[in-house]
Amino acid sequence: MTTSSPGTPASADKRRRAAMALSVTVIVITLGLALRIYGRGLGLPPFIVKYGGSLLWATMVYALLVALLPRLSWRLLGLLALAVAVLVEASRLIHAPWLDGFRLTLTGALLLGRIFSLWNIVAYAAGILLGVGIDRATTAFAQARQSPS
């Protein structure tokens, strides 16, 4: 983790990384919603719709963490994203009337899911790896554009 004053190049890099992560978040949310809404209608197998949505959800979690904490390394952000994903999945084992009621709403189903599944954790891990790959690629691209040729 580096410390830098607001006007330094390192600070600009972190702001650029956070802005890119927000853009990725919007794209991933759009793709995830499209997959869940139109996936079956397009003839995609239910497996792809369900676990593709889980993969994209975890990619979104990683991207949001990058946007909020751009100074942290991709390794630490990946571990944090995995911890969030596992905690959300484990929360499905908790049943309180208000929580189960929220899970029955569209927002609750999209954010928290409804049924515990170890396979979701596998999909989350893949989604976080996708997020790490996007983060590292966009960071490398931005750095390459700034270095003198």
Side-chain angles (χ1 to χ4, degrees), residues 68-104:
L68 293 171
L69 305 165
R71 294 184 185 309
L72 296 184
S73 73
W74 61 268
R75 285 181 181 93
L76 186 52
L77 288 164
L79 288 173
L80 284 171
L82 186 59
V84 167
V86 169
L87 284 172
V88 168
E89 190 66 27
S91 78
R92 295 176 189 169
L93 297 172
I94 299 168
H95 295 284
W98 65 270
L99 188 54
D100 287 339
F102 178 65
R103 287 184 183 122
L104 291 175

mmCIF file of all heavy atoms in Angstrom, residues 68-104:
data_model
loop_
_atom_site.group_PDB
_atom_site.id
_atom_site.type_symbol
_atom_site.label_atom_id
_atom_site.label_comp_id
_atom_site.label_asym_id
_atom_site.label_seq_id
_atom_site.Cartn_x
_atom_site.Cartn_y
_atom_site.Cartn_z
ATOM 1 N N LEU A 68 -13.799 1.075 -4.134
ATOM 2 C CA LEU A 68 -13.784 1.629 -2.775
ATOM 3 C C LEU A 68 -12.385 1.670 -2.166
ATOM 4 O O LEU A 68 -12.084 2.556 -1.367
ATOM 5 C CB LEU A 68 -14.695 0.789 -1.867
ATOM 6 C CG LEU A 68 -16.182 0.856 -2.169
ATOM 7 C CD1 LEU A 68 -16.937 -0.189 -1.354
ATOM 8 C CD2 LEU A 68 -16.712 2.258 -1.881
ATOM 9 N N LEU A 69 -11.548 0.709 -2.524
ATOM 10 C CA LEU A 69 -10.222 0.570 -1.908
ATOM 11 C C LEU A 69 -9.133 0.433 -2.968
ATOM 12 O O LEU A 69 -8.413 -0.574 -3.009
ATOM 13 C CB LEU A 69 -10.222 -0.661 -0.987
ATOM 14 C CG LEU A 69 -11.310 -0.693 0.096
ATOM 15 C CD1 LEU A 69 -11.448 -2.091 0.685
ATOM 16 C CD2 LEU A 69 -11.003 0.335 1.163
ATOM 17 N N PRO A 70 -8.978 1.416 -3.850
ATOM 18 C CA PRO A 70 -8.061 1.255 -4.985
ATOM 19 C C PRO A 70 -6.583 1.174 -4.600
ATOM 20 O O PRO A 70 -5.768 0.756 -5.415
ATOM 21 C CB PRO A 70 -8.335 2.495 -5.839
ATOM 22 C CG PRO A 70 -8.825 3.512 -4.867
ATOM 23 C CD PRO A 70 -9.614 2.725 -3.852
ATOM 24 N N ARG A 71 -6.246 1.508 -3.396
ATOM 25 C CA ARG A 71 -4.849 1.442 -2.965
ATOM 26 C C ARG A 71 -4.412 0.015 -2.615
ATOM 27 O O ARG A 71 -3.218 -0.264 -2.553
ATOM 28 C CB ARG A 71 -4.609 2.341 -1.754
ATOM 29 C CG ARG A 71 -4.767 3.810 -2.015
ATOM 30 C CD ARG A 71 -4.418 4.612 -0.775
ATOM 31 N NE ARG A 71 -4.613 6.023 -0.774
ATOM 32 C CZ ARG A 71 -4.212 6.916 -1.649
ATOM 33 N NH1 ARG A 71 -3.602 6.520 -2.710
ATOM 34 N NH2 ARG A 71 -4.426 8.194 -1.515
ATOM 35 N N LEU A 72 -5.383 -0.861 -2.404
ATOM 36 C CA LEU A 72 -5.040 -2.227 -2.019
ATOM 37 C C LEU A 72 -4.627 -3.063 -3.227
ATOM 38 O O LEU A 72 -5.061 -2.819 -4.349
ATOM 39 C CB LEU A 72 -6.228 -2.899 -1.323
ATOM 40 C CG LEU A 72 -6.684 -2.286 0.005
ATOM 41 C CD1 LEU A 72 -7.806 -3.119 0.617
ATOM 42 C CD2 LEU A 72 -5.539 -2.146 0.984
ATOM 43 N N SER A 73 -3.803 -4.064 -2.973
ATOM 44 C CA SER A 73 -3.340 -4.944 -4.045
ATOM 45 C C SER A 73 -4.477 -5.842 -4.522
ATOM 46 O O SER A 73 -5.444 -6.092 -3.800
ATOM 47 C CB SER A 73 -2.191 -5.826 -3.538
ATOM 48 O OG SER A 73 -2.689 -6.824 -2.655
ATOM 49 N N TRP A 74 -4.321 -6.351 -5.733
ATOM 50 C CA TRP A 74 -5.328 -7.251 -6.276
ATOM 51 C C TRP A 74 -5.429 -8.524 -5.441
ATOM 52 O O TRP A 74 -6.501 -9.100 -5.313
ATOM 53 C CB TRP A 74 -5.056 -7.558 -7.750
ATOM 54 C CG TRP A 74 -3.748 -8.219 -8.031
ATOM 55 C CD1 TRP A 74 -2.566 -7.612 -8.348
ATOM 56 C CD2 TRP A 74 -3.478 -9.622 -8.007
ATOM 57 N NE1 TRP A 74 -1.580 -8.542 -8.524
ATOM 58 C CE2 TRP A 74 -2.110 -9.795 -8.326
ATOM 59 C CE3 TRP A 74 -4.240 -10.743 -7.755
ATOM 60 C CZ2 TRP A 74 -1.499 -11.036 -8.395
ATOM 61 C CZ3 TRP A 74 -3.636 -11.992 -7.815
ATOM 62 C CH2 TRP A 74 -2.282 -12.120 -8.140
ATOM 63 N N ARG A 75 -4.326 -8.956 -4.852
ATOM 64 C CA ARG A 75 -4.366 -10.157 -4.010
ATOM 65 C C ARG A 75 -5.260 -9.944 -2.785
ATOM 66 O O ARG A 75 -6.114 -10.772 -2.482
ATOM 67 C CB ARG A 75 -2.958 -10.528 -3.547
ATOM 68 C CG ARG A 75 -2.103 -11.161 -4.606
ATOM 69 C CD ARG A 75 -0.719 -11.514 -4.054
ATOM 70 N NE ARG A 75 0.107 -12.088 -5.061
ATOM 71 C CZ ARG A 75 0.943 -11.396 -5.832
ATOM 72 N NH1 ARG A 75 1.057 -10.100 -5.699
ATOM 73 N NH2 ARG A 75 1.672 -12.012 -6.749
ATOM 74 N N LEU A 76 -5.043 -8.820 -2.098
ATOM 75 C CA LEU A 76 -5.841 -8.539 -0.907
ATOM 76 C C LEU A 76 -7.304 -8.297 -1.268
ATOM 77 O O LEU A 76 -8.214 -8.782 -0.587
ATOM 78 C CB LEU A 76 -5.261 -7.332 -0.155
ATOM 79 C CG LEU A 76 -5.913 -7.000 1.184
ATOM 80 C CD1 LEU A 76 -5.975 -8.215 2.096
ATOM 81 C CD2 LEU A 76 -5.170 -5.860 1.860
ATOM 82 N N LEU A 77 -7.527 -7.584 -2.358
ATOM 83 C CA LEU A 77 -8.904 -7.348 -2.801
ATOM 84 C C LEU A 77 -9.594 -8.659 -3.187
ATOM 85 O O LEU A 77 -10.777 -8.851 -2.895
ATOM 86 C CB LEU A 77 -8.924 -6.371 -3.976
ATOM 87 C CG LEU A 77 -8.589 -4.921 -3.596
ATOM 88 C CD1 LEU A 77 -8.239 -4.111 -4.833
ATOM 89 C CD2 LEU A 77 -9.736 -4.292 -2.835
ATOM 90 N N GLY A 78 -8.863 -9.557 -3.809
ATOM 91 C CA GLY A 78 -9.424 -10.859 -4.159
ATOM 92 C C GLY A 78 -9.813 -11.655 -2.921
ATOM 93 O O GLY A 78 -10.877 -12.272 -2.871
ATOM 94 N N LEU A 79 -8.957 -11.616 -1.896
ATOM 95 C CA LEU A 79 -9.279 -12.319 -0.648
ATOM 96 C C LEU A 79 -10.484 -11.681 0.043
ATOM 97 O O LEU A 79 -11.345 -12.389 0.569
ATOM 98 C CB LEU A 79 -8.061 -12.317 0.283
ATOM 99 C CG LEU A 79 -6.904 -13.225 -0.143
ATOM 100 C CD1 LEU A 79 -5.690 -13.010 0.763
ATOM 101 C CD2 LEU A 79 -7.332 -14.687 -0.118
ATOM 102 N N LEU A 80 -10.543 -10.356 0.044
ATOM 103 C CA LEU A 80 -11.695 -9.665 0.634
ATOM 104 C C LEU A 80 -12.980 -10.016 -0.114
ATOM 105 O O LEU A 80 -14.026 -10.271 0.501
ATOM 106 C CB LEU A 80 -11.487 -8.150 0.624
ATOM 107 C CG LEU A 80 -10.534 -7.590 1.667
ATOM 108 C CD1 LEU A 80 -10.266 -6.108 1.388
ATOM 109 C CD2 LEU A 80 -11.084 -7.784 3.056
ATOM 110 N N ALA A 81 -12.912 -10.011 -1.436
ATOM 111 C CA ALA A 81 -14.092 -10.348 -2.239
ATOM 112 C C ALA A 81 -14.538 -11.781 -1.966
ATOM 113 O O ALA A 81 -15.736 -12.058 -1.845
ATOM 114 C CB ALA A 81 -13.794 -10.156 -3.730
ATOM 115 N N LEU A 82 -13.587 -12.694 -1.842
ATOM 116 C CA LEU A 82 -13.940 -14.080 -1.548
ATOM 117 C C LEU A 82 -14.575 -14.189 -0.158
ATOM 118 O O LEU A 82 -15.554 -14.919 0.029
ATOM 119 C CB LEU A 82 -12.713 -14.986 -1.654
ATOM 120 C CG LEU A 82 -12.979 -16.489 -1.519
ATOM 121 C CD1 LEU A 82 -13.957 -16.974 -2.588
ATOM 122 C CD2 LEU A 82 -11.674 -17.257 -1.603
ATOM 123 N N ALA A 83 -14.039 -13.441 0.796
ATOM 124 C CA ALA A 83 -14.622 -13.447 2.146
ATOM 125 C C ALA A 83 -16.060 -12.929 2.115
ATOM 126 O O ALA A 83 -16.954 -13.520 2.734
ATOM 127 C CB ALA A 83 -13.767 -12.608 3.099
ATOM 128 N N VAL A 84 -16.300 -11.843 1.385
ATOM 129 C CA VAL A 84 -17.662 -11.306 1.260
ATOM 130 C C VAL A 84 -18.574 -12.353 0.621
ATOM 131 O O VAL A 84 -19.682 -12.610 1.101
ATOM 132 C CB VAL A 84 -17.667 -9.995 0.431
ATOM 133 C CG1 VAL A 84 -19.080 -9.600 0.029
ATOM 134 C CG2 VAL A 84 -16.992 -8.874 1.206
ATOM 135 N N ALA A 85 -18.110 -12.972 -0.450
ATOM 136 C CA ALA A 85 -18.923 -13.956 -1.164
ATOM 137 C C ALA A 85 -19.262 -15.155 -0.268
ATOM 138 O O ALA A 85 -20.408 -15.602 -0.234
ATOM 139 C CB ALA A 85 -18.200 -14.421 -2.426
ATOM 140 N N VAL A 86 -18.281 -15.654 0.462
ATOM 141 C CA VAL A 86 -18.518 -16.805 1.333
ATOM 142 C C VAL A 86 -19.467 -16.413 2.468
ATOM 143 O O VAL A 86 -20.365 -17.181 2.828
ATOM 144 C CB VAL A 86 -17.188 -17.377 1.866
ATOM 145 C CG1 VAL A 86 -17.420 -18.391 2.976
ATOM 146 C CG2 VAL A 86 -16.398 -18.024 0.726
ATOM 147 N N LEU A 87 -19.299 -15.214 3.021
ATOM 148 C CA LEU A 87 -20.202 -14.764 4.090
ATOM 149 C C LEU A 87 -21.641 -14.618 3.590
ATOM 150 O O LEU A 87 -22.588 -15.005 4.272
ATOM 151 C CB LEU A 87 -19.710 -13.444 4.682
ATOM 152 C CG LEU A 87 -18.517 -13.565 5.617
ATOM 153 C CD1 LEU A 87 -17.982 -12.184 5.983
ATOM 154 C CD2 LEU A 87 -18.874 -14.353 6.861
ATOM 155 N N VAL A 88 -21.789 -14.058 2.386
ATOM 156 C CA VAL A 88 -23.143 -13.927 1.827
ATOM 157 C C VAL A 88 -23.745 -15.306 1.590
ATOM 158 O O VAL A 88 -24.909 -15.549 1.901
ATOM 159 C CB VAL A 88 -23.137 -13.071 0.536
ATOM 160 C CG1 VAL A 88 -24.456 -13.179 -0.204
ATOM 161 C CG2 VAL A 88 -22.828 -11.613 0.875
ATOM 162 N N GLU A 89 -22.950 -16.220 1.064
ATOM 163 C CA GLU A 89 -23.453 -17.581 0.828
ATOM 164 C C GLU A 89 -23.811 -18.251 2.157
ATOM 165 O O GLU A 89 -24.875 -18.865 2.282
ATOM 166 C CB GLU A 89 -22.413 -18.412 0.069
ATOM 167 C CG GLU A 89 -22.917 -19.733 -0.425
ATOM 168 C CD GLU A 89 -23.986 -19.609 -1.492
ATOM 169 O OE1 GLU A 89 -24.038 -18.606 -2.226
ATOM 170 O OE2 GLU A 89 -24.803 -20.551 -1.590
ATOM 171 N N ALA A 90 -22.952 -18.103 3.150
ATOM 172 C CA ALA A 90 -23.223 -18.709 4.463
ATOM 173 C C ALA A 90 -24.451 -18.079 5.118
ATOM 174 O O ALA A 90 -25.166 -18.754 5.868
ATOM 175 C CB ALA A 90 -22.003 -18.559 5.370
ATOM 176 N N SER A 91 -24.726 -16.821 4.814
ATOM 177 C CA SER A 91 -25.902 -16.160 5.405
ATOM 178 C C SER A 91 -27.201 -16.831 4.965
ATOM 179 O O SER A 91 -28.230 -16.676 5.621
ATOM 180 C CB SER A 91 -25.928 -14.667 5.042
ATOM 181 O OG SER A 91 -26.388 -14.467 3.722
ATOM 182 N N ARG A 92 -27.143 -17.586 3.883
ATOM 183 C CA ARG A 92 -28.335 -18.298 3.410
ATOM 184 C C ARG A 92 -28.736 -19.425 4.350
ATOM 185 O O ARG A 92 -29.841 -19.947 4.251
ATOM 186 C CB ARG A 92 -28.101 -18.843 2.007
ATOM 187 C CG ARG A 92 -27.909 -17.722 1.007
ATOM 188 C CD ARG A 92 -27.589 -18.247 -0.346
ATOM 189 N NE ARG A 92 -27.201 -17.124 -1.198
ATOM 190 C CZ ARG A 92 -26.666 -17.253 -2.377
ATOM 191 N NH1 ARG A 92 -26.462 -18.451 -2.883
ATOM 192 N NH2 ARG A 92 -26.332 -16.190 -3.080
ATOM 193 N N LEU A 93 -27.828 -19.764 5.247
ATOM 194 C CA LEU A 93 -28.137 -20.795 6.242
ATOM 195 C C LEU A 93 -28.878 -20.198 7.442
ATOM 196 O O LEU A 93 -29.350 -20.938 8.300
ATOM 197 C CB LEU A 93 -26.849 -21.480 6.701
ATOM 198 C CG LEU A 93 -26.084 -22.230 5.603
ATOM 199 C CD1 LEU A 93 -24.727 -22.698 6.117
ATOM 200 C CD2 LEU A 93 -26.905 -23.396 5.083
ATOM 201 N N ILE A 94 -28.948 -18.876 7.498
ATOM 202 C CA ILE A 94 -29.649 -18.185 8.578
ATOM 203 C C ILE A 94 -31.065 -17.886 8.113
ATOM 204 O O ILE A 94 -31.261 -17.295 7.039
ATOM 205 C CB ILE A 94 -28.931 -16.873 8.955
ATOM 206 C CG1 ILE A 94 -27.518 -17.177 9.443
ATOM 207 C CG2 ILE A 94 -29.722 -16.093 9.999
ATOM 208 C CD1 ILE A 94 -26.632 -15.956 9.560
ATOM 209 N N HIS A 95 -32.030 -18.292 8.907
ATOM 210 C CA HIS A 95 -33.428 -18.084 8.523
ATOM 211 C C HIS A 95 -34.157 -17.289 9.600
ATOM 212 O O HIS A 95 -34.415 -17.785 10.679
ATOM 213 C CB HIS A 95 -34.119 -19.425 8.267
ATOM 214 C CG HIS A 95 -33.532 -20.143 7.101
ATOM 215 N ND1 HIS A 95 -33.799 -19.783 5.807
ATOM 216 C CD2 HIS A 95 -32.648 -21.164 7.037
ATOM 217 C CE1 HIS A 95 -33.120 -20.567 4.991
ATOM 218 N NE2 HIS A 95 -32.414 -21.415 5.718
ATOM 219 N N ALA A 96 -34.412 -16.045 9.277
ATOM 220 C CA ALA A 96 -35.246 -15.176 10.106
ATOM 221 C C ALA A 96 -36.378 -14.715 9.189
ATOM 222 O O ALA A 96 -36.156 -14.521 7.987
ATOM 223 C CB ALA A 96 -34.441 -13.995 10.614
ATOM 224 N N PRO A 97 -37.565 -14.540 9.728
ATOM 225 C CA PRO A 97 -38.693 -14.161 8.867
ATOM 226 C C PRO A 97 -38.420 -12.915 8.008
ATOM 227 O O PRO A 97 -38.716 -12.914 6.816
ATOM 228 C CB PRO A 97 -39.830 -13.910 9.862
ATOM 229 C CG PRO A 97 -39.493 -14.758 11.048
ATOM 230 C CD PRO A 97 -37.983 -14.764 11.116
ATOM 231 N N TRP A 98 -37.832 -11.884 8.585
ATOM 232 C CA TRP A 98 -37.574 -10.663 7.825
ATOM 233 C C TRP A 98 -36.533 -10.906 6.733
ATOM 234 O O TRP A 98 -36.633 -10.371 5.637
ATOM 235 C CB TRP A 98 -37.139 -9.523 8.753
ATOM 236 C CG TRP A 98 -35.820 -9.771 9.432
ATOM 237 C CD1 TRP A 98 -35.615 -10.382 10.629
ATOM 238 C CD2 TRP A 98 -34.520 -9.426 8.927
ATOM 239 N NE1 TRP A 98 -34.270 -10.453 10.913
ATOM 240 C CE2 TRP A 98 -33.576 -9.871 9.883
ATOM 241 C CE3 TRP A 98 -34.057 -8.804 7.771
ATOM 242 C CZ2 TRP A 98 -32.202 -9.700 9.714
ATOM 243 C CZ3 TRP A 98 -32.694 -8.628 7.618
ATOM 244 C CH2 TRP A 98 -31.781 -9.077 8.583
ATOM 245 N N LEU A 99 -35.520 -11.751 7.038
ATOM 246 C CA LEU A 99 -34.468 -12.039 6.063
ATOM 247 C C LEU A 99 -35.004 -12.922 4.937
ATOM 248 O O LEU A 99 -34.734 -12.669 3.752
ATOM 249 C CB LEU A 99 -33.291 -12.709 6.767
ATOM 250 C CG LEU A 99 -32.015 -12.917 5.974
ATOM 251 C CD1 LEU A 99 -31.513 -11.614 5.362
ATOM 252 C CD2 LEU A 99 -30.940 -13.525 6.865
ATOM 253 N N ASP A 100 -35.769 -13.939 5.293
ATOM 254 C CA ASP A 100 -36.375 -14.794 4.268
ATOM 255 C C ASP A 100 -37.350 -13.996 3.404
ATOM 256 O O ASP A 100 -37.433 -14.205 2.191
ATOM 257 C CB ASP A 100 -37.082 -15.991 4.897
ATOM 258 C CG ASP A 100 -36.100 -17.023 5.441
ATOM 259 O OD1 ASP A 100 -34.928 -17.018 4.999
ATOM 260 O OD2 ASP A 100 -36.499 -17.821 6.302
ATOM 261 N N GLY A 101 -38.076 -13.059 4.021
ATOM 262 C CA GLY A 101 -38.974 -12.186 3.259
ATOM 263 C C GLY A 101 -38.214 -11.331 2.264
ATOM 264 O O GLY A 101 -38.630 -11.169 1.113
ATOM 265 N N PHE A 102 -37.072 -10.788 2.689
ATOM 266 C CA PHE A 102 -36.243 -9.982 1.784
ATOM 267 C C PHE A 102 -35.702 -10.834 0.647
ATOM 268 O O PHE A 102 -35.677 -10.405 -0.509
ATOM 269 C CB PHE A 102 -35.102 -9.316 2.557
ATOM 270 C CG PHE A 102 -34.175 -8.509 1.693
ATOM 271 C CD1 PHE A 102 -34.628 -7.377 1.030
ATOM 272 C CD2 PHE A 102 -32.852 -8.885 1.528
ATOM 273 C CE1 PHE A 102 -33.773 -6.623 0.226
ATOM 274 C CE2 PHE A 102 -31.988 -8.150 0.732
ATOM 275 C CZ PHE A 102 -32.457 -7.017 0.074
ATOM 276 N N ARG A 103 -35.284 -12.054 0.940
ATOM 277 C CA ARG A 103 -34.759 -12.952 -0.098
ATOM 278 C C ARG A 103 -35.797 -13.291 -1.161
ATOM 279 O O ARG A 103 -35.451 -13.651 -2.276
ATOM 280 C CB ARG A 103 -34.257 -14.246 0.536
ATOM 281 C CG ARG A 103 -32.970 -14.100 1.287
ATOM 282 C CD ARG A 103 -32.502 -15.456 1.797
ATOM 283 N NE ARG A 103 -31.308 -15.325 2.580
ATOM 284 C CZ ARG A 103 -31.190 -15.722 3.845
ATOM 285 N NH1 ARG A 103 -32.202 -16.313 4.456
ATOM 286 N NH2 ARG A 103 -30.062 -15.561 4.489
ATOM 287 N N LEU A 104 -37.083 -13.194 -0.803
ATOM 288 C CA LEU A 104 -38.145 -13.481 -1.769
ATOM 289 C C LEU A 104 -38.388 -12.326 -2.734
ATOM 290 O O LEU A 104 -39.062 -12.504 -3.749
ATOM 291 C CB LEU A 104 -39.446 -13.842 -1.044
ATOM 292 C CG LEU A 104 -39.416 -15.183 -0.312
ATOM 293 C CD1 LEU A 104 -40.705 -15.384 0.479
ATOM 294 C CD2 LEU A 104 -39.176 -16.329 -1.280
#
